DNA sequence: CATGCTGAGATTGTATACAGCAAGCACTTT
DNA sequence: AAAGTGCTTGCTGTATACAATCTCAGCATG
């Protein structure tokens, strides 16, 4: 239990925001394991602050679905379950498809996607950090903040499963370059219906890939 | 022998939960007006508790998108804006369509929808309180908690706009019984693609209705 | 008159104190 | 031995104290 201290004031984050980001990183990176108990005083001691910011961060984690809390009984990091993973993939497929359809409908797709996609192809897609992967571009051009935020949250919740497969979080939408290509082609061509269909199929393909590489013994 | 667990008393809310519910009600009912300043100490005094539960409730409101907070600068109830309303309707249309499609895909639609719909028809659809309106049923049978929670949140954020139109929150999906009927018919018939299309069209029709009845002078 | 400084008041951010709930353990009772 | 009882301990829920920061009126200065 190495004590981590907040940097003096580089980005003007409040303690609560810093703790929140720290805990999110710990969860998606696997430093806080699924099912692990989250104790306010211990986390506060480890991060060198009082309980108050930790509480605030806990509530945020709960709202994001990364942890689960009960009244007077503390909380735990969410456990990884097959059924939840399926729901996450399913929801991501729907949201992504909707974003693709909306992007086409508002005519943004043909302009943006092509250029940015070439660029990202050269720069290697990245997951959470960079903003050049397929999903980030999609969420940016869809023009609906609610859908894009929902999608980003879902993708964040999927990262622990991705890690469980032994893959780095950065190479998240990696399989099926072909599937991606089809969706992008449809978007650029302005075919909304095809874009939705291909986008959904692409994510569901990733789901099936995840299912195959996570046997019952690893993911209950 | 068998341990008898004390029945979890659902009426015993923690102070934070109570404050949160109170503030949500105040916002959607219009007792807290859009743009109104939210001061921790004043709310705490009005509700007879300390700042701590109020803070917690504030963060929850922020996560739900019902209020907006800035570091060291307090917060305000979200202002009603045309563009936001359009995004909300758009997102609700997409999420509802996705739920309809999923419900059909998993075969739940034909069994549930028919019966429950008859029932709700008799009992008069209700908004937030009851669980018998079209959206609640849809979110229940879609089988994906992420999508249904997203949809419920969006619908909650739409209620202030609905109130601005002079309609009670309870009669929310009211227009276009015809539109609803078409969507439900497609779901019962097991036609997922048609269910998606009709569901989306129904919500977008509600959006257009709202646009027409809210001139620039009322909703900037 | 415009502009910039300053200090008081207001408000949020954080720490800490205290009370209450919950689970575990030893002890008693049957 | 099984079940009940009260204590102990650890943790959370809430209140309150203190620190940091913002706002804005008032004044000095060009």
């Amino acid at each position: 239990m190495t004590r981590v201290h907040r940097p003096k004031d580089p980005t003007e984050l409040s303690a609560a925001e810093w703790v929140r980001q720290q805990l999110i990183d710990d969860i998606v990176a696997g430093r806080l394991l699924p099912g692990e108990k989250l104790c306010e005083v211990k986390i506060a001691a480890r991060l060198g602050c009082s309980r108050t910011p930790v509480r605030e961060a806990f509530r945020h984690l709960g709202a994001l679905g990364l942890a689960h809390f009960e009244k007077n009984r503390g909380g735990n990091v969410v456990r990884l379950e097959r059924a939840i993973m399926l729901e996450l993939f399913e929801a991501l497929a729907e949201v992504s498809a909707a974003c693709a359809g909306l992007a086409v409908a508002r005519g943004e797709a043909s302009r943006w996607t092509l250029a940015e996609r070439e660029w990202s192809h050269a720069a290697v897609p990245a997951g959470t950090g960079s903003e050049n992967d397929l999903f980030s571009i999609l969420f940016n051009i869809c023009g609906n903040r609610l859908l894009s935020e929902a999608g980003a949250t879902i993708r964040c919740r999927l990262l622990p499963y991705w890690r469980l497969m032994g893959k780095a979080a950065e190479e998240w939408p990696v399989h099926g370059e072909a599937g991606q290509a089809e969706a992008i082609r449809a978007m650029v061509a302005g075919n909304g219906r095809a874009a939705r269909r291909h986008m959904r199929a692409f994510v569901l393909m990733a789901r099936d890939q995840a299912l195959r590489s996570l046997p019952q013994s690893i993911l209950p």
Side-chain angles (χ1 to χ4, degrees), chain A:
Chain A
M1 165 159 121
T2 47
R3 284 179 66 115
V4 181
H5 281 284
R6 178 159 66 113
K8 288 302 177 182
D9 204 0
T11 52
E12 283 208 28
L13 283 174
S14 72
E17 287 166 336
W18 182 77
V19 170
R20 164 161 58 86
Q21 199 53 52
Q22 206 73 15
L23 290 178
I24 291 177
D25 288 351
D26 283 351
I27 290 176
V28 302
R31 284 185 294 275
L32 282 174
L33 294 175
E36 190 161 341
K37 185 132 204 322
L38 289 174
C39 171
E40 291 180 0
V41 295
K42 285 172 187 161
I43 299 286
R46 183 162 72 83
L47 297 182
C49 68
S50 78
R51 280 176 54 207
T52 310
V54 176
R55 275 186 74 81
E56 214 154 282
F58 276 12
R59 298 309 143 103
H60 203 273
L61 290 187
L64 255 60
L66 287 173
H68 180 246
F69 299 88
E70 272 178 288
K71 181 170 149 66
N72 282 324
R73 218 167 305 190
N76 308 78
V77 180
V78 284
R79 297 176 188 284
L80 302 187
E81 296 173 26
R82 237 181 168 61
I84 304 289
M85 185 181 78
L86 293 184
E87 285 193 25
L88 285 165
F89 269 112
E90 199 174 60
L92 183 63
E94 295 294 342
V95 172
S96 303
C99 286
L102 290 178
V104 169
R106 63 175 51 211
E108 298 280 349
S110 56
R111 273 189 294 131
W112 285 65
T113 313
L114 192 58
E116 297 231 16
R117 190 54 195 161
E118 303 290 359
W119 198 65
S120 84
H121 210 61
V124 178
T128 345
S130 169
E131 299 296 322
N132 287 330
D133 62 295
L134 176 65
F135 288 121
S136 295
I137 296 176
L138 194 58
F139 296 156
N140 274 336
I141 68 176
C142 83
N144 191 305
R145 207 175 321 159
L146 288 131
L147 287 175
S148 54
E149 279 174 10
T153 301
I154 294 170
R155 196 177 53 156
C156 176
R157 286 184 61 175
L158 269 171
L159 287 181
Y161 295 94
W162 194 253
R163 218 184 53 80
L164 200 64
M165 295 168 61
K167 316 239 180 183
E170 286 72 27
E171 44 176 341
W172 157 204
V174 65
H175 174 282
E177 290 283 350
Q180 289 189 35
E182 283 181 33
I184 293 169
R185 212 176 306 132
M187 289 175 66
V188 175
N191 188 340
R193 189 159 303 203
R196 285 177 187 264
R197 191 171 60 245
H198 283 127
M199 196 66 217
R200 179 158 38 224
F202 163 60
V203 177
L204 293 183
M205 192 164 55
R207 175 196 65 178
D208 295 338
Q209 182 194 5
L211 269 183
R212 278 196 302 276
S213 49
L214 290 176
Q216 209 82 15
S217 56
I218 294 184
L219 181 67

